């Protein structure tokens, strides 16, 4: 019933990806892979648009991922053997010890992101590309939050881009939530099993931005 909508979404997004990647060498294109539904769709679209299964995927393991997210990342890696799959992880610091020292993260002070996500990803990118300009495809969508609604679909502004030396592009920027599920289910794309438990997002299990529903589900499925 929604085939025309699906075809429009696919054609528009893949055209955007090809155009964005035009000015970059094939090896300087990166996919930011979180294990969530949006980055899964972005990865699938990018590989199909560029006809390149060997794109670098970077998975930022914050050490606070759902067990099902880590399991999905391993499954993704196995199902996409040609992808260059890099894991970015802070192995020097322990989240719980840092919490004891400076207090747990809060909505207005999310120190965890820079320490356990942005920092490790930056180190991986630096080791791979040094000073080369890169293009990273993100699974960011305008309707996710007020702050994200202010982003540009292609962003290289130093103040907006958390990790320097990169331009970030969001192929699914204008997609609605239901568009994501239309694509995943119609194209039979494997996705994180946490969504089948009722989670609507699968970031860190203890993120200050999680809602009461997510905390309730975690108390059932991850009581420890």
């Amino acid at each position: 019933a929604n085939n025309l909508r699906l075809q429009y979404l696919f054609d528009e997004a893949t055209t955007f990806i090809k155009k964005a990647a035009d000015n970059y060498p094939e090896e300087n294109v990166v996919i930011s892979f979180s294990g969530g539904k949006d980055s899964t769709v972005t990865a699938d679209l990018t590989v199909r648009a560029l006809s390149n299964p060997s794109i670098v995927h970077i998975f930022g393991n914050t050490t606070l991922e759902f067990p099902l997210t880590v399991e999905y990342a391993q499954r993704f890696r196995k199902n996409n053997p040609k992808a260059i799959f890099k894991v970015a992880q802070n192995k020097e610091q322990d989240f719980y010890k840092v919490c004891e020292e400076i207090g747990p993260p809060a909505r207005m002070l999310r120190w965890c992101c820079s320490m356990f996500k942005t920092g490790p990803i930056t180190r991986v990118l630096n080791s791979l590309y040094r000073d080369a300009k890169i293009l990273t495809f993100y699974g960011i969508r305008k309707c996710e939050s007020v702050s994200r609604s202010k982003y540009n679909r292609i962003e290289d502004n130093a103040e907006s881009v958390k990790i320097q030396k990169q331009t970030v592009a969001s192929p699914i920027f204008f997609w609605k939530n239901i568009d994501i599920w239309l694509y995943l289910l119609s194209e039979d794309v494997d996705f994180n099993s946490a969504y089948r438990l009722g989670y609507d997002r699968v970031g860190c299990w203890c993120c200050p931005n999680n809602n009461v529903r997510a905390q309730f589900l975690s108390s059932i499925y991850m009581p420890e």
Side-chain angles (χ1 to χ4, degrees):
N2 293 291
N3 196 49
L4 283 177
R5 173 67 178 170
L6 178 65
Q7 198 58 54
Y8 163 74
L9 289 167
F10 178 79
D11 289 346
E12 197 281 333
T14 50
T15 300
F16 169 82
I17 291 166
K18 289 173 188 171
K19 191 174 178 183
D22 259 355
N23 301 321
Y24 293 83
E26 214 170 55
E27 62 272 15
N28 286 26
V29 173
V30 175
I31 294 169
S32 178
F33 182 83
S34 69
K37 65 185 189 306
D38 295 347
S39 73
T40 295
V41 169
T42 299
D44 196 73
L45 284 167
T46 304
V47 168
R48 290 176 70 180
L50 302 179
S51 302
N52 181 7
S54 302
I55 298 173
V56 173
H57 292 58
I58 296 186
F59 173 52
N61 184 349
T62 59
T63 69
L64 300 165
E65 308 296 332
F66 292 1
L68 285 172
T69 300
V70 176
E71 188 183 293
Y72 172 61
Q74 291 168 346
R75 196 165 70 239
F76 182 92
R77 201 169 187 172
K78 185 180 176 184
N79 294 339
N80 298 274
K82 292 183 179 177
I84 300 167
F85 197 93
K86 299 285 185 181
V87 178
Q89 184 174 328
N90 184 341
K91 295 179 179 177
E92 287 77 47
Q93 281 140 321
D94 178 87
F95 173 77
Y96 302 101
K97 285 181 182 173
V98 180
C99 283
E100 287 173 13
E101 291 167 9
I102 64 175
R107 287 194 177 195
M108 297 303 288
L109 188 67
R110 295 206 313 274
W111 53 261
C112 45
C113 287
S114 56
M115 194 176 290
F116 289 92
K117 192 169 190 177
T118 315
I121 290 173
T122 301
R123 286 196 288 275
V124 170
L125 289 174
N126 285 342
S127 69
L128 288 173
Y129 298 104
R130 297 191 181 274
D131 295 323
K133 294 283 185 184
I134 61 169
L135 173 68
T136 302
F137 285 109
Y138 268 53
I140 287 174
R141 291 187 295 118
K142 185 181 174 74
C143 65
E144 285 181 287
S145 67
V146 174
S147 62
R148 290 190 170 184
S149 70
K150 295 172 184 171
Y151 289 12
N152 293 314
R153 198 178 185 188
I154 289 189
E155 191 74 77
D156 59 4
N157 184 321
E159 290 180 14
S160 304
V161 178
K162 290 179 182 175
I163 300 170
Q164 302 311 311
K165 297 195 307 257
Q166 70 169 342
T167 295
V168 298
S170 309
I172 59 170
F173 191 62
F174 299 110
W175 290 31
K176 307 294 184 195
N177 216 36
I178 201 163
D179 293 329
I180 296 291
W181 289 112
L182 174 64
Y183 184 88
L184 287 170
L185 299 173
S186 300
E187 299 297 309
D188 198 23
V189 178
D190 182 29
F191 58 86
N192 192 321
S193 302
Y195 292 110
R196 298 188 186 277
L197 302 181
Y199 288 97
D200 52 10
R201 64 186 298 272
V202 294
C204 301
W205 67 264
C206 58
C207 181
N209 284 338
N210 284 353
N211 53 28
V212 176
R213 170 194 171 90
Q215 292 174 343
F216 173 70
L217 289 170
S218 291
S219 70
I220 296 171
Y221 295 114
M222 299 184 290
E224 71 279 8

